[in-house]
Amino acid sequence: MNSEIILPLLIYLVLIAALSVFAVRKRREGSFLTEYFLGSRSMGGFVLAMTITTTYISASSFIGGPGAAYKYGLGWVLLAMVQVPAVWLSLGVLGKKFAILARQHNAVTLNDMLYARYRSPLLIWLASLSLLIAFIGAMTVQFIGGARLLETAAGIPYDTGLLIFGGTIALYTAFGGFRASVLNDAMQGVVMLIGTFLLLFAVIHQAGGLSTAIQKLHDIDPALLSPQGPGEVITPTFLSSFIVLVCFGVIGLPHTAVRCISYRDSKAVHRAIILGTIVVVVLMLGMHLAGALGRAVLPNLTVPDSVIPTLMITVLPPLAAGLFLAAPMAAIMSTINAQLLQASATLIKDLYLRVAPHQMENEARLRLLSGTITFALGLLLLIAAWNPPDMIIWLNLLAFGGLEAVFLWPLVLGLYWERANAAGAITGMVVGGGCYAFLASLKLQILGFHPIVPSLLLSLLAFLVGNLFGRAPQPVDAPQH
């Protein structure tokens, strides 16, 4: 166990705790639910850019993505850059219209929005169940990434690292709520940017310069420099599938969408689109390039996901490695706290209060229940992450795809198509989610496409057909919280 690496990390965790305490003291008067799960809709442009970016960029981007770039070379670096428009798409498609409707209906969760639009309790139950199942996989990936990071870089045993990491996340998210989450996201975004620059520079220096690193990759395998990668993994169908899965489909991710209803004003959206896109470019290019070039420094790794933490302790002095350890840790933490809050909101706001609406005014009970459920979910995820796979990127993409297959069309068509109704939305959800689960579980790729492509196409078709058999929803009065 390397104390020089661990010390900066401990300081970082203390800083996170301090921000959570600050967030609690800054809580505004009014509805507890709106404050705890949305931070009273008070985010400015910089915070919005950082929280939506760091929520999207996760263990997959700092651990799994660079691991894939290590294995498949520079072609994967190019592939990763298709994610650049993700923030622009999320805020551009959902942003203003989504936030206006959320304020109109006093919506706290994504399912509040869906109910206000479609007036269907069945749809809410289906959406809640789908969200919770997918989030189990998505959050488990983040816990694995955090523990593996501590194991490789700091010499902490995987099980111990999992307990430290998971316990910290569960505590500060349960205690601080949404406001603590986004404040930490803003700080973590800055840490991620600094860490990315630091590591990429050190990797290139260690390899003897960029041209030398490229030559070493060519000597290992010339295919590492080709767009297709070794074994021609990155085919045109794979590329198109990846664009759908990690760029266009991001619009349908619930934990990203909820950020689009929690900002202060339209000026914040405009700033966030510009800043967020710049941050995505820097982080995606920097981290994936570090992973690919890292093979010139560490050519014989057997577990690709270990490339970033191993590079940290190889190319950086111990103190600098400890400082950089906070960067991927920040990416993982910011994603988990967003998903934990969304899962907690689903259980409390969308399910519990739907069957027990009389508890809406019992703020003390809601406060206790919110914190308890958020913490309990974190502990359950520790158990789920106890036996990790070698490459987490595939598990992460699997969970992302499931969320997109269920939520993308009900969200987008609900916002932009007045005739969309509950029958269409439910049919689209069931067909999209069912098709994705079937294809993904059997590892079937129709014509070489990832399951997300046929699932979204069939979901759209099912939505349009199902819509023929339903009635247009009547306007719903805004719920009183």
Side-chain angles (χ1 to χ4, degrees):
M1 190 177 297
N2 193 326
S3 59
E4 288 184 279
I5 292 179
I6 294 174
L7 182 60
L9 178 63
L10 291 177
I11 295 172
Y12 180 70
L13 294 178
V14 170
L15 184 57
I16 284 176
L19 271 179
S20 299
V21 173
F22 174 79
V24 171
R25 292 185 174 181
K26 287 293 181 179
R27 280 179 178 170
R28 298 184 178 182
E29 295 297 325
S31 168
F32 166 74
L33 292 174
T34 302
E35 169 60 34
Y36 188 81
F37 292 119
L38 289 181
S40 299
R41 310 183 204 272
S42 59
M43 280 193 294
F46 175 76
V47 175
L48 176 60
M50 287 302 183
T51 189
I52 201 167
T53 303
T54 55
T55 297
Y56 172 66
I57 293 176
S58 60
S60 180
S61 304
F62 263 73
I63 304 295
Y70 177 91
K71 185 174 182 179
Y72 300 116
L74 296 180
W76 196 277
V77 179
L78 292 175
L79 182 70
M81 298 312 291
V82 304
Q83 301 172 76
V84 168
V87 172
W88 174 78
L89 278 172
S90 296
L91 289 175
V93 174
L94 297 180
K96 290 185 180 180
K97 194 173 182 67
F98 205 53
I100 289 169
L101 291 174
R103 284 167 168 79
Q104 179 183 337
H105 298 289
N106 201 16
V108 173
T109 68
L110 179 64
N111 285 339
D112 279 346
M113 294 288 291
L114 292 175
Y115 184 74
R117 178 62 180 83
Y118 295 109
R119 301 292 306 278
S120 171
L122 175 59
L123 183 146
I124 300 308
W125 282 94
L126 286 172
S128 299
L129 181 62
S130 302
L131 186 147
L132 291 171
I133 291 173
F135 268 7
I136 289 173
M139 289 189 288
T140 299
V141 167
Q142 310 308 321
F143 274 68
I144 292 170
R148 188 168 280 161
L149 197 62
L150 291 174
E151 178 186 35
T152 307
I156 299 174
Y158 178 85
D159 296 349
T160 305
L162 186 61
L163 290 172
I164 294 172
F165 178 77
T168 302
I169 288 283
L171 277 172
Y172 94 74
T173 306
F175 178 66
F178 186 89
R179 191 175 294 275
S181 173
V182 298
L183 285 176
N184 278 302
D185 286 351
M187 180 191 72
Q188 288 161 350
V190 174
V191 170
M192 288 157 63
L193 287 170
I194 295 172
T196 298
F197 277 114
L198 180 64
L199 183 66
L200 181 59
F201 175 82
V203 168
I204 294 174
H205 177 75
Q206 183 77 14
L210 185 59
S211 59
T212 303
I214 297 296
Q215 184 59 49
K216 287 180 179 179
L217 291 182
H218 182 271
D219 294 340
I220 294 170
D221 185 350
L224 291 172
L225 306 182
S226 71
Q228 294 78 28
E232 296 191 351
V233 173
I234 308 172
T235 61
T237 52
F238 186 89
L239 173 61
S240 57
S241 298
F242 206 73
I243 291 172
V244 172
L245 184 60
V246 302
C247 185
F248 172 71
V250 171
I251 301 169
L253 293 177
H255 54 293
T256 301
V258 78
R259 260 62 183 163
C260 297
I261 65 175
S262 53
Y263 60 84
R264 184 169 58 233
D265 50 34
S266 59
K267 186 182 294 185
V269 177
H270 299 152
R271 288 177 177 171
I273 288 175
I274 297 172
L275 288 173
T277 301
I278 293 172
V279 173
V280 170
V281 169
V282 173
L283 294 181
M284 287 297 174
L285 180 61
M287 290 309 303
H288 286 82
L289 192 57
L293 297 179
R295 192 156 180 177
V297 179
L298 305 166
N300 300 312
L301 291 180
T302 56
V303 180
D305 278 354
S306 66
V307 61
I308 291 301
T310 305
L311 281 172
M312 286 166 44
I313 59 177
T314 302
V315 304
L316 296 173
L319 184 60
L323 291 172
F324 177 74
L325 182 61
M329 193 69 74
I332 297 166
M333 284 183 165
S334 59
T335 301
I336 292 180
N337 63 43
Q339 293 172 343
L340 262 180
L341 279 174
Q342 187 72 13
S344 178
T346 297
L347 287 169
I348 295 166
K349 180 68 175 61
D350 300 327
L351 298 181
Y352 172 69
L353 290 179
R354 192 162 294 279
V355 298
H358 59 280
Q359 294 291 342
M360 189 77 74
E361 304 302 325
N362 191 343
E363 184 170 311
R365 183 180 180 85
L366 289 177
R367 191 183 301 275
L368 176 62
L369 195 60
S370 298
T372 302
I373 287 181
T374 304
F375 184 70
L377 283 171
L379 295 182
L380 290 174
L381 291 166
L382 286 177
I383 299 172
W386 213 256
N387 295 302
D390 286 338
M391 288 188 72
I392 61 175
I393 188 170
W394 307 120
L395 178 58
N396 194 56
L397 292 177
L398 180 68
F400 265 40
L403 290 168
E404 293 169 7
V406 171
F407 287 101
L408 180 63
W409 298 126
L411 264 177
V412 175
L413 295 180
L415 279 177
Y416 291 97
W417 189 27
E418 292 182 1
R419 293 175 56 192
N421 60 42
I426 291 172
T427 307
M429 278 184 167
V430 172
V431 171
C435 177
Y436 186 82
F438 175 76
L439 294 176
S441 61
L442 296 180
K443 298 183 179 179
L444 297 177
Q445 295 192 346
I446 300 173
L447 300 178
F449 287 100
H450 186 278
I452 191 60
V453 176
S455 297
L456 285 180
L457 290 175
L458 289 175
S459 175
L460 176 59
L461 179 62
F463 194 117
L464 297 176
V465 173
N467 208 74
L468 299 175
F469 299 94
R471 293 182 301 177
Q474 298 299 314
V476 60
D477 293 333
Q480 299 301 312
H481 291 179

